[in-house]
Amino acid sequence: AQKVTQAQTEISVVEKEDVTLDCVYETRDTTYYLFWYKQPPSGELVFLIRRNSFDEQNEISGRYSWNFQKSTSSFNFTITASQVVDSAVYFCALSEPLNAGGTSYGKLTFGQGTILTVHP
Amino acid sequence: NAGVTQTPKFQVLKTGQSMTLQCAQDMNHNSMYWYRQDPGMGLRLIYYSASEGTTDKGEVPNGYNVSRLNKREFSLRLESAAPSQTSVYFCASKDRNRNSPLHFGNGTRLTVT
């Protein structure tokens, strides 16, 4: 069975600190996609990044960076110089085929989420 | 461009009442999904529709039914609401590209008393 584990339930930091959110996944598929979503206090789900299983390059977008390591089945998310506006729940998710042919993807398995609070 | 629109935003039901949650997307996406979000459990898939005319059960389908009315609309029905169905419900849609993300609606907060 597919599984995503975000072991950190809550993290609290002070503004300008760096923070890393952990994500570990389990799957038997060789082709899959990983995602991070942000859920701010307003409640909507905001897509942040996707990574496919064949691309292990790390990615940086402004203060955000992602470290994908297939060998350890991890897809960790780091916020550098955190800000109060980063306070949100962050979800890691794993996307797998919907059908046996593997031609349709979309079923996302989500982790439990990590509540990040950044204090001024 | 509205994206994914869910109605209503809030709803309170008594045990045993029925209701339908509506979802519509204007992005011409093929696939649509219903998730529920409960504290400490992330989002769990209730039902999905990979394409117009098909629906399939997800992880937690009991107590729910769905209808893919057309390519734009995917509704979720609670025939006899139970307190265990108190949750936040999210509708999402996705195009046919493998690596496309899900686009979520803003959610419906349902309370069953």
Side-chain angles (χ1 to χ4, degrees):
Chain A
Q2 295 73 35
K3 188 176 178 183
V4 176
T5 301
Q6 295 178 253
Q8 305 148 308
T9 306
E10 292 191 53
I11 301 176
S12 183
V13 299
V14 177
E15 218 171 12
K16 297 187 181 153
E17 281 185 36
D18 298 346
V19 58
T20 295
L21 283 61
D22 298 331
C23 173
V24 175
Y25 62 92
E26 296 173 30
T27 180
R28 285 177 290 185
D29 293 297
T30 55
T31 302
Y32 52 88
Y33 294 85
L34 293 158
F35 298 81
W36 276 94
Y37 282 85
K38 174 182 179 180
Q39 187 176 43
S42 50
E44 72 272 24
L45 284 153
V46 180
F47 163 68
L48 295 177
I49 191 172
R50 65 175 157 254
R51 172 67 69 231
N52 73 54
S53 52
F54 296 113
D55 181 2
E56 290 196 64
Q57 282 191 339
N58 292 332
E59 180 154 343
I60 298 175
S61 176
R63 296 184 297 107
Y64 295 172
S65 62
W66 290 268
N67 180 264
F68 174 38
Q69 293 198 348
K70 208 167 178 179
S71 60
T72 56
S73 298
S74 65
F75 186 41
N76 297 336
F77 173 29
T78 297
I79 302 174
T80 303
S82 60
Q83 300 176 1
V84 173
V85 293
D86 296 327
S87 296
V89 183
Y90 290 87
F91 291 99
C92 179
L94 171 65
S95 175
E96 298 147 23
L98 279 178
N99 56 34
T103 56
S104 174
Y105 287 75
K107 176 184 179 298
L108 257 62
T109 298
F110 282 82
Q112 301 91 324
T114 297
I115 301 170
L116 174 65
T117 304
V118 182
H119 298 280
Chain B
N1 195 345
V4 179
T5 303
Q6 290 183 236
T7 55
K9 287 184 169 43
F10 301 94
Q11 183 71 50
V12 178
L13 293 177
K14 289 185 165 49
T15 297
Q17 287 185 318
S18 62
M19 79 159 296
T20 300
L21 280 64
Q22 307 287 352
C23 175
Q25 51 91 10
D26 61 4
M27 296 173 281
N28 202 35
H29 285 169
N30 290 305
S31 304
M32 297 185 74
Y33 310 81
W34 277 104
Y35 283 84
R36 59 177 288 174
Q37 181 180 15
D38 302 293
M41 304 190 74
L43 283 85
R44 292 180 293 168
L45 183 64
I46 305 170
Y47 269 94
Y48 63 93
S49 171
S51 60
E52 187 179 356
T54 68
T55 61
D56 285 287
K57 295 178 181 178
E59 184 184 351
V60 287
N62 291 345
Y64 305 95
N65 285 302
V66 289
S67 294
R68 183 73 182 267
L69 303 168
N70 47 55
K71 192 171 186 179
R72 289 187 65 247
E73 298 172 285
F74 188 40
S75 61
L76 179 72
R77 181 157 179 85
L78 287 71
E79 290 291 351
S80 179
S84 61
Q85 294 177 305
T86 293
S87 188
V88 181
Y89 291 85
F90 285 96
C91 177
S93 70
K94 179 187 173 307
D95 68 24
R96 62 173 69 249
N97 291 327
R98 285 186 171 193
N99 63 351
S100 296
L102 292 184
H103 295 263
F104 285 89
N106 287 334
T108 296
R109 186 174 293 276
L110 175 66
T111 302
V112 183
T113 61

